[in-house]
Amino acid sequence: MSLILDPGGHRARIEIAKVVPAIWTRNSNAQGEAVTSRRNGRLILHGSGMHGANGAELVWQGKVFPALLVRREQGIEWNDEVHFQGDLALKGEAVLRIGNAVSNAFTLP
């Protein structure tokens, strides 16, 4: 969706896009080591903009790993969890993809 505003005689075009998934990282610039946990034999990525999504995938070194579950984290309204098979021993840069939307790049510890 596109809006054109004319505040005080200055014209601006604003694009409104769908929310894309974001993976939390351990620093404040959304880059670097992802916030992950392991529970019930699963690798879990933590972030936002993805609860209720279908078809989430972890993309690492050209390989695609489908998510087992995407849900809102219990007790934290704005935090989402994406669950993957727990025996993934991946290290290095990756992204989360949901449909055509791609998250920030992050590093798997």
Side-chain angles (χ1 to χ4, degrees):
M1 182 164 134
S2 178
L3 298 174
I4 297 179
L5 304 175
D6 190 4
H10 296 86
R11 201 171 167 111
R13 181 183 177 129
I14 299 172
E15 291 291 326
I16 300 174
K18 292 182 179 181
V19 172
V20 297
I23 299 300
W24 302 141
T25 58
R26 299 208 180 276
N27 59 28
S28 62
N29 66 2
Q31 299 174 358
E33 188 176 321
V35 176
T36 63
S37 60
R38 292 196 182 263
R39 185 169 61 240
N40 299 327
R42 295 180 175 180
L43 167 66
I44 302 169
L45 296 177
H46 300 272
S48 66
M50 53 200 152
H51 70 278
N54 293 318
E57 302 171 318
L58 177 65
V59 182
W60 173 81
Q61 294 187 359
K63 297 177 183 152
V64 177
F65 301 89
L68 300 172
L69 172 70
V70 180
R71 71 174 191 183
R72 175 126 4 220
E73 187 170 346
Q74 295 176 354
I76 305 177
E77 184 177 327
W78 59 87
N79 209 33
D80 297 324
E81 297 179 339
V82 185
H83 294 234
F84 293 92
Q85 182 179 317
D87 63 352
L88 294 179
L90 311 177
K91 294 192 182 293
E93 190 171 283
V95 295
L96 182 75
R97 182 172 62 199
I98 300 174
N100 292 328
V102 178
S103 75
N104 54 304
F106 53 88
T107 304
L108 293 167

